[in-house]
Amino acid sequence: MIIPRLAFKNIYGAGLRTWLNVIALSFSFVAIIFLQGLYNGMNNQVEKATIDALYGGGQYWHNNYDPYDPLTLDNAHGEIPAALQKLIKEKKAVPILIWQATIYPHGRFQNALLKGITPEQTILSIPTSVLKTDEETIPALIGSRMAKSTGLKKGDYVTIRWRDVNGTFDADEAKIVETMKTNVPDIDNGQLWIPIKKMRQMTAIPDEATIIVLEKGSQFNEKFDNWKRKNLNFLMKDLRALFLTKSIGGSIFYILLLFLAMLAIFDTQVLSIFRRRKEMGTLMALGMTRSKLIQLFTLEGAMHAILAAVVAAIYGTPLLIYIASTGYGIPEVADSYGFALGNRIFPVFTAGLIIGTTLLVLIVTTIVSYLPTRKIAKLKPTDALRGKLT
Amino acid sequence: MNNSYLIKTEHIKKIYPMGLTTLIALDDINLTFKKGEFAGLVGPSGSGKTTLLNIIGALDSPSEGSAEVLGKKVETLSHRSAAHLRNWYIGFIFQTFNLLPVYTVFENVEFPLLLQNIPSPKRKKLVMEALEWVGLADRANSKPAHLSGGESQRVAIARAIVKKPELVLADEPTANLDAENSHHIMRTMVQLNEELKITFIFATHDEKVMRYLKRKISLNDGKVEKDEIFELEVKK
Ligand SMILES: Nc1ncnc2c1ncn2[C@@H]1O[C@H](COP(=O)(O)OP(=O)(O)OP(=O)(O)O)[C@@H](O)[C@H]1O
Ligand SMILES: [Mg+2]
């Protein structure tokens, strides 16, 4: 018990020096937890937005559908199995027919995907109700990114050219009935949403679809010959991989912070060993063993980290709770990240994150305190007493 | 432990490497000290006083020869055993006092007893006794920074004797003190020697200290030049 007592006395006796150290270290605590929370929050937000707007509760894909190869779309459609039709009728699923087309915005030529969807659907958070219309013209809904890249605005007309299922070319004009702002690029870039009924007429594919989106939380899991059930884990795989790469920048920051915290502790420990070598010589002369000396100095370092955790909790808790409730604004970077981010990120701080970070910093601090302290073990008492460090 | 002597050195040599050559700090030292001695190692700077004192205190070991201290051969002791020997049986007093600045006077004196795991009530009693001895019981709660040089050295003496050691080693204890304080602490140590039978060995070239010595061992160039014992009571 003597070692903890002495360690406590030493860091208490060191006064201001202790507090400066502790406060610096507590910044690392708060910053690391904040960054991790931000990362968690981004992750959650992106996943939620993408589920809401795109994946629903999982999907059925026509066997030929390959989202990475638009050329397969010609064959990636089929009759909807009766069980799924029943779900659609009960509004527990929505069919989407995907077709390739060319559009001519302001005379320029551009490839686009047509996505036919039931305007009345409520399964995806896409404002498809704007597609309800009695007009003869094809109504089209586009996202703001698409609007920007094509220069199309609400009310504009655009020529669409496509081949129907028999390979016959056809063209018509579509009216942009709305541009929607969305955080999910996958319902936006290069796409026009139009009523599925119109699409079926245009393509001469009656009653068929490319994918069926199930409602959120759907447990429906029947097997069909031409359709494959894709669960959320599968659908989110790409997104998660993308998110991982995109946030490597963030984790470098995280490592850097941890490194700085380590450096601060290492520095103080090395400094205190230089400054206190005569004290160590005295302790040795008084009969303290080497292992006790090492324990003492290592524990002092670890206690800095514990104090820092306490201090960080005192000012960090209200601060992080505040940020978690108001969100953290990131207006511009959101889109350059290339995935769904709102203008505000609401960091998510889990108990695991906080306990994990605290443990991590504690362990790292202890190791980093121990390393320079080991040097004491090599110090001869006479050299230490003379204030020499060899 | 052999009762006839407390310390016995046999052909001690201490050699330091000095670049290509070597420096012989101690050369064939043969000395014995009995319990209750009040002896001093004297001699010019560089004569090897500190080196010899450190070997006797198990802080260092000889390059050659043997030093038997309180029944233990210093040159064969492990770090742990040497630390144990110092903790229980040997008190040190340094020229620069070497008090621990963040501790109070009481805590400084208490420190060796903490290492010995002595229970608190007994610790308290021993510390206060030691502080009474050096006349600083009323400063128990002061920090070393607020003490004069003389007071600091008295705290160091209290710390050295609090565990009732067999042996106290004092390296230039008066070098940073004025005449009055020097005499004060020497008188205290003489008293401790006579009443508690603690053996004292000094390293010094201070004339004021020499007046109190009952035995004076003169070192020069690492060799014992003279070894005088004064039968008379200390001249005051
Ligand atoms: N660690 C060391 N490395 C090299 N040489 C040393 C070391 N310690 C002591 N010496 C040398 O050994 C010799 C004796 O030193 P020592 O400190 O014992 O002398 P001293 O009699 O105590 O002198 P002073 O009166 O100045 O304290 C000196 O020449 C000193 O330079
Ligand atoms: Mg000396």
Side-chain angles (χ1 to χ4, degrees):
Chain A
M1 265 324 277
I2 166 186
I3 294 298
R5 251 180 83 177
L6 294 178
F8 180 76
K9 263 192 208 169
N10 283 345
I11 66 175
Y12 179 76
L16 189 64
R17 211 175 64 225
T18 296
W19 290 114
L20 283 177
N21 212 336
V22 161
I23 287 167
L25 196 57
S26 76
F27 287 149
S28 314
F29 264 109
V30 174
I32 288 172
I33 291 175
F34 172 69
L35 273 181
Q36 279 291 79
L38 206 60
Y39 175 88
N40 283 354
M42 272 158 88
N43 217 341
N44 284 3
Q45 252 166 281
V46 169
E47 290 194 356
K48 187 177 178 306
T50 312
I51 287 170
D52 284 351
L54 188 60
Y55 296 141
Q59 302 177 338
Y60 275 92
W61 288 8
H62 187 268
N63 273 349
N64 294 340
Y65 175 58
D66 177 358
Y68 299 108
D69 186 1
L71 296 176
T72 61
L73 284 171
D74 286 353
N75 298 314
H77 54 89
E79 247 171 76
I80 303 169
L84 283 171
Q85 280 191 31
K86 186 166 168 276
L87 281 186
I88 292 167
K89 211 174 253 156
E90 291 166 357
K91 302 204 166 195
K92 289 178 175 163
V94 60
I96 297 176
L97 180 61
I98 307 175
W99 203 252
Q100 257 199 303
T102 313
I103 57 171
Y104 298 86
H106 306 294
R108 282 183 295 119
F109 147 101
Q110 194 171 332
N111 284 321
L113 280 185
L114 303 180
K115 288 190 169 175
I117 190 167
T118 325
E120 292 79 16
Q121 68 83 27
T122 50
I123 287 171
L124 295 178
S125 66
I126 302 172
T128 49
S129 59
V130 299
L131 298 174
K132 281 183 242 170
T133 170
D134 300 328
E135 285 178 44
E136 263 306 296
T137 2
I138 307 165
L141 166 68
I142 59 172
S144 48
R145 292 172 187 77
M146 181 67 169
K148 208 172 157 198
S149 69
T150 55
L152 291 171
K153 300 184 301 289
K154 181 176 174 180
D156 283 356
Y157 287 85
V158 63
T159 306
I160 309 178
R161 214 168 100 91
W162 72 94
R163 272 151 51 147
D164 70 14
V165 75
N166 304 312
T168 315
F169 275 104
D170 204 346
D172 203 344
E173 259 193 331
K175 181 185 177 186
I176 308 298
V177 291
E178 190 64 82
T179 62
M180 60 178 169
K181 201 164 162 32
T182 171
N183 294 324
V184 183
D186 282 354
I187 63 165
D188 180 339
N189 284 330
Q191 322 179 359
L192 285 86
W193 293 88
I194 59 184
I196 194 163
K197 232 167 144 184
K198 272 256 158 44
M199 277 262 307
R200 284 170 173 160
Q201 289 166 11
M202 289 157 68
T203 54
I205 307 170
D207 299 329
E208 294 192 0
T210 309
I211 64 175
I212 318 279
V213 183
L214 301 171
E215 70 175 347
K216 263 198 271 181
S218 175
Q219 297 300 316
F220 188 83
N221 204 8
E222 238 171 89
K223 285 197 167 58
F224 306 106
D225 277 351
N226 287 323
W227 296 82
K228 266 202 206 83
R229 173 81 153 94
K230 303 287 181 186
N231 62 19
L232 275 180
N233 267 343
F234 171 84
L235 294 169
M236 302 284 262
K237 214 166 60 192
D238 279 353
L239 182 71
R240 284 180 182 148
L242 173 72
F243 199 81
L244 206 67
T245 17
K246 289 291 177 185
S247 35
I248 276 177
S251 52
I252 284 174
F253 208 58
Y254 176 91
I255 290 165
L256 199 74
L257 267 172
L258 195 64
F259 182 75
L260 281 179
M262 270 168 53
L263 206 68
I265 286 291
F266 189 76
D267 202 50
T268 356
Q269 285 292 316
V270 170
L271 262 182
S272 64
I273 284 163
F274 270 90
R275 208 186 311 107
R276 294 168 68 186
R277 57 201 181 276
K278 195 166 156 192
E279 176 187 336
M280 286 173 210
T282 308
L283 295 178
M284 288 176 185
L286 292 177
M288 195 174 225
T289 56
R290 284 177 171 181
S291 63
K292 284 233 167 74
L293 259 182
I294 292 176
Q295 283 171 34
L296 177 62
F297 276 71
T298 307
L299 189 63
E300 280 184 35
M303 276 169 89
H304 275 125
I306 294 171
L307 275 181
V310 172
V311 170
I314 290 170
Y315 72 77
T317 309
L319 184 74
L320 295 184
I321 287 176
Y322 174 76
I323 296 176
S325 65
T326 60
Y328 183 73
I330 45 155
E332 291 309 321
V333 291
D335 240 276
S336 59
Y337 261 71
F339 46 60
L341 275 181
N343 288 347
R344 298 204 141 259
I345 297 175
F346 291 84
V348 175
F349 305 107
T350 59
L353 161 63
I354 289 166
I355 294 168
T357 306
T358 309
L359 280 181
L360 181 73
V361 176
L362 261 179
I363 290 167
V364 166
T365 326
T366 308
I367 293 171
V368 156
S369 305
Y370 168 74
L371 292 179
T373 305
R374 242 187 4 181
K375 216 170 160 57
I376 301 169
K378 291 178 192 146
L379 212 59
K380 272 174 62 181
T382 45
D383 287 337
L385 274 171
R386 294 195 316 163
K388 228 173 79 173
L389 192 71
T390 44
Chain B
M1 196 191 304
N2 191 320
N3 283 330
S4 62
Y5 58 84
L6 211 60
I7 299 158
K8 182 174 189 177
T9 72
E10 286 178 307
H11 308 297
I12 283 187
K13 243 185 166 177
K14 184 72 186 179
I15 302 170
Y16 290 114
M18 290 283 281
L20 292 177
T21 63
T22 56
L23 185 139
I24 302 176
L26 292 175
D27 193 2
D28 197 27
I29 305 288
N30 298 283
L31 288 169
T32 52
F33 294 88
K34 291 205 267 297
K35 186 172 169 59
E37 286 207 43
F38 200 77
L41 307 169
V42 303
S45 188
S47 56
K49 305 181 295 289
T50 298
T51 306
L52 181 55
L53 211 60
N54 284 342
I55 291 173
I56 293 173
L59 286 170
D60 205 350
S61 54
S63 311
E64 286 173 32
S66 161
E68 189 182 327
V69 178
L70 304 166
K72 301 272 194 300
K73 293 235 190 273
V74 166
E75 65 277 10
T76 63
L77 286 183
S78 65
H79 286 288
R80 186 172 287 274
S81 322
H84 185 263
L85 182 69
R86 291 194 296 268
N87 183 208
W88 284 86
Y89 303 108
I90 304 175
F92 287 88
I93 297 167
F94 304 96
Q95 177 179 341
T96 49
F97 322 137
N98 292 22
L99 299 180
L100 304 169
V102 302
Y103 298 170
T104 63
V105 165
F106 183 94
E107 290 164 342
N108 263 283
V109 177
E110 186 189 28
F111 195 89
L113 305 179
L114 279 177
L115 291 179
Q116 293 178 347
N117 285 322
I118 286 175
S120 169
K122 189 173 176 203
R123 273 203 317 264
K124 194 157 187 237
K125 184 173 153 279
L126 288 171
V127 171
M128 288 322 287
E129 264 175 33
L131 285 175
E132 301 278 352
W133 261 105
V134 298
L136 282 176
D138 55 331
R139 303 300 302 271
N141 294 317
S142 303
K143 285 278 175 77
H146 299 135
L147 301 178
S148 71
E151 287 167 335
S152 296
Q153 198 59 305
R154 275 146 64 200
V155 174
I157 293 171
R159 181 175 66 183
I161 59 141
V162 70
K163 60 201 179 190
K164 308 266 163 62
E166 290 286 335
L167 174 65
V168 170
L169 303 173
D171 194 354
E172 316 271 11
T174 57
N176 284 326
L177 301 181
D178 59 24
E180 197 193 321
N181 275 307
S182 297
H183 285 298
H184 189 138
I185 70 146
M186 285 315 292
R187 277 197 296 273
T188 306
M189 288 193 273
V190 169
Q191 255 183 324
L192 286 162
N193 170 249
E194 286 172 354
E195 292 180 29
L196 300 182
K197 304 289 174 241
I198 297 173
T199 308
F200 278 83
I201 301 177
F202 296 87
T204 187
H205 45 225
D206 184 351
E207 284 297 332
K208 296 189 292 295
V209 174
M210 292 184 205
R211 285 172 48 194
Y212 292 88
L213 298 179
K214 294 172 189 164
R215 178 182 176 189
K216 194 161 101 181
I217 298 156
S218 307
L219 293 182
N220 201 358
D221 263 344
K223 290 196 178 72
V224 177
E225 231 179 27
K226 255 195 295 184
D227 188 351
E228 309 157 90
I229 295 178
F230 306 102
E231 296 293 341
L232 293 171
E233 261 297 283
V234 187
K235 334 136 219 178
K236 298 221 165 121

